[in-house]
Amino acid sequence: MIDTLRYLLGSAGPSGFGSKSTAEQVTENRADLRCLTAIITGATSGIGAETARVLAKRGARLILPARSVKAAEDAKARILSECPDSEIIVMALELSSLNSVRSFVNQFHTLGLPLHLLINNAGKFAHEHAVSEDGVEMTFATNYLGHFLLTKLLVKTMAETAKETGVQGRIVNVSSSIHGWFSGDAVSYLALISRNKSHYDATRAYALSKLANVFHTKELARRLQQTGANVTVNCVHPGIVRTRLTREREGLLTDLVFFLASKLLKTIPQAAATTCYVATHPRLSDVSGKYFADCNETSTSKLGSNLAEATRLWATSEFMISRGPKAAFDLLKHLEF
């Protein structure tokens, strides 16, 4: 009850910010980010677009990868209309395709640019069952597996950039409090819904993908620490906001739910605040493997803090991107019997 009241009032937490803080407010102390290059997925609309706008306003060079290059060019034009001196590069990327992720990274490397920030923001909620070209349930493929591979292929560049410039690299995974809605065996459920639509539940699949983002953060933080790379990774819950992700299911019931919950909703500038805070604030130097909401560190679900399950998903993900999802699911089925 107290936490809910603090949220509604926008009371500041230990960071000095709260649920009502905006992305511009939390970056005021980083008014000059001209030394930084950032890749932001899902920056054509909603929270990602606001994150990109604010970072550009602070001077960061932006790489905007998108499935629709036209949508990304439109987003670029909107930012340039406000910040004409911004350097913004648009590139093609379909996160649900492992080949597209590899192609994007290869093209990025040809630019010879440093990389300080990687913001894995793009998200999808597939109401109807669908499977990616690689044979993975579409929500999981887009929200997690594509970002897993993207991060894996870029983290060396981030570590090298940090070593050369002395500026700590930061990875931000955008998750959701909905990750706590998933219970059960994550890997087994993924295999099940990737092969059999009769077991598909859209909300549970989305919760699984967001739990996977949390697991990714925990395990990657551990591995980065082991290698001594000057790169951190943290996970954020942006809050409840009506973006295109939720507007895909319009209707009387949806409108009624959002009307009744209107006091809990954030504006898009408020929803982008935690991402921008975690990506840029000096207070979070050397902070890694944590979960943030309303610009303050908080706890994940009990399952989300299970490091053994995080390691298990990492191993499965490595197998999926190296041998293919079918081989991974076949192996899992064999081990189950």
Side-chain angles (χ1 to χ4, degrees), residues 51-62 79 83 86 88:
T51 300
R53 184 191 72 83
V54 171
L55 293 186
K57 184 174 183 177
R58 302 306 184 203
R61 176 198 288 131
L62 303 183
I79 295 172
C83 312
S86 299
I88 304 171

Side-chain angles (χ1 to χ4, degrees), residues 121-140:
N121 166 82
K124 181 181 182 66
F125 188 112
H127 297 289
E128 302 297 330
H129 181 266
V131 175
S132 74
E133 65 182 44
D134 299 294
V136 182
E137 187 278 315
M138 189 62 78
T139 299
F140 189 90

Side-chain angles (χ1 to χ4, degrees), residues 190-256:
L190 171 63
L192 187 66
I193 61 175
S194 293
R195 290 184 155 182
N196 192 335
K197 64 184 286 186
S198 66
H199 294 278
Y200 181 73
D201 178 278
T203 301
R204 193 176 186 213
Y206 183 74
L208 169 63
S209 72
K210 292 302 169 181
L211 174 64
N213 294 147
V214 174
F215 281 158
H216 182 212
T217 301
K218 299 287 187 181
E219 180 65 11
L220 180 57
R222 185 182 70 82
R223 290 169 179 260
L224 288 170
Q225 185 176 34
Q226 283 184 338
T227 63
N230 189 21
V231 179
T232 65
V233 56
N234 290 291
C235 200
V236 304
H237 165 54
I240 307 170
V241 60
R242 197 169 197 190
T243 65
R244 189 174 64 184
L245 189 70
T246 53
R247 286 197 300 269
E248 288 177 359
R249 175 171 279 182
E250 293 287 4
L252 180 61
L253 180 60
T254 302
D255 290 339
L256 178 61

